[in-house]
Amino acid sequence: MTPHTNDTRNPTQVHAILQGPASSVHATESVEDYLERIHELIESKGYARPIEIAAALNIKQSSVTKMMQRLHDRGYANYEKHRGLTLTAAGVKVALSIRKRHQYVSEFLRMLGIDEKCLQLDTEGIEHHLSPPTMKRLAAFVDYLREHPEVMEDFRNQP
Amino acid sequence: MTPHTNDTRNPTQVHAILQGPASSVHATESVEDYLERIHELIESKGYARPIEIAAALNIKQSSVTKMMQRLHDRGYANYEKHRGLTLTAAGVKVALSIRKRHQYVSEFLRMLGIDEKCLQLDTEGIEHHLSPPTMKRLAAFVDYLREHPEVMEDFRNQP
DNA sequence: ATATAATTTTAGCCGCGGCTAAATTATTGT
DNA sequence: ACAATAATTTAGCCGCGGCTAAAATTATAT
Ligand SMILES: [Mn+2]
Ligand SMILES: [Mn+2]
Ligand SMILES: [Mn+2]
Ligand SMILES: [Mn+2]
């Protein structure tokens, strides 16, 4: 159990100086990545085991176990030792959100003509930094470009 | 993918490598943010004091002092207690690089029509995740859009 | 049923990058 | 010159999220 969550809102990051309206404590990048993978695994195989999560994230199993505890404590997952892990509604919500951001960012970078390997790597980082307004506008723009292929075509045929 | 420490190098080992060129160890997001601000301050006022760096980053002065030590250790700055801080060539290089990424990302988000406050926040996160190839393509695209305003105009006048 | 193998969990370590509180040092006003 | 003030630094704390090594549990094969 979370020991008295004394909060103090200090998850160590200069990068998220959200001028704290305090509402929800945002999921960290790491938590988003875990939930993204876990949700994919559950979807495709029906369960998410530490060994596979670790492989998917390219980290060690023991790190995964630790995070599973954390996901449970933070209300993103239900977890019992040796008994598997499922996502809560909150966890699914984050997973679907990050998936959508991932998809739009990667599609946009693909439109820009960036090498697939590189694109995947950058997407994994960028996806965590799209606020809802930005996501909305980017999605609309990508949709627009998809339906107007002449734009990117003209861009690519530039001098 | 994306372990958040993609470096394979154990932090413990990083210390051993410290002797080597700082360029071999990628600057963290935090380091990039510090260098970005410090370079701006030096440019505009001729020097960068902890109190102002702290204000610019919205963190405490003591955190800045600590990081100043780290920037020195990692070869990004020359620092002597109570005697001020200057950037090394490596530090300036990182600062100019992150500035360029910041400028292009924020210009792109501005073109998308995102609210300025929100745009600045997202830019601060996204800027750290543009690899050189992605940066190159994004820059070209933003330049293209700047010279073809009818594209964004048409996008904005969408149904 | 039990030995072996695979998986999972724990224990304990690390560096990062925040924080507060308490020195220490530098600056300023009289 | 010196006291008050401001800025800087230190000391020590925290949670995060990696890691290794070892223990515990579960699954498999004989
Ligand atoms: Mn990611
Ligand atoms: Mn992703
Ligand atoms: Mn930034
Ligand atoms: Mn920036």
Side-chain angles (χ1 to χ4, degrees), chain A residues 12 14 49 51 61-62 65 69 79 81-82:
Chain A
T12 303
V14 182
R49 297 161 67 204
I51 198 173
Q61 287 186 39
S62 60
T65 300
Q69 311 271 9
Y79 166 66
K81 302 181 196 180
H82 297 286

Side-chain angles (χ1 to χ4, degrees), chain B residues 22 40 44 94 101:
Chain B
E40 282 168 6
S44 66
V94 171
R101 281 173 280 154

Side-chain angles (χ1 to χ4, degrees), chain B residues 33 36-37 40 98-99 102 123-124 127-128:
Chain B
D33 281 338
E36 189 180 6
R37 302 301 170 202
E40 282 168 6
I98 189 66
R99 165 185 294 187
H102 183 115
T123 298
E124 271 309 312
E127 62 183 3
H128 306 287

Side-chain angles (χ1 to χ4, degrees), chain A residues 69-101:
Chain A
Q69 311 271 9
R70 224 173 266 165
L71 294 177
H72 179 87
D73 290 346
R74 295 180 191 176
Y76 295 119
N78 295 310
Y79 166 66
E80 282 178 280
K81 302 181 196 180
H82 297 286
R83 219 155 271 300
L85 169 140
T86 58
L87 295 185
T88 63
V92 171
K93 189 177 171 186
V94 172
L96 293 179
S97 166
I98 188 67
R99 167 184 294 187
K100 187 179 175 194
R101 281 172 279 153

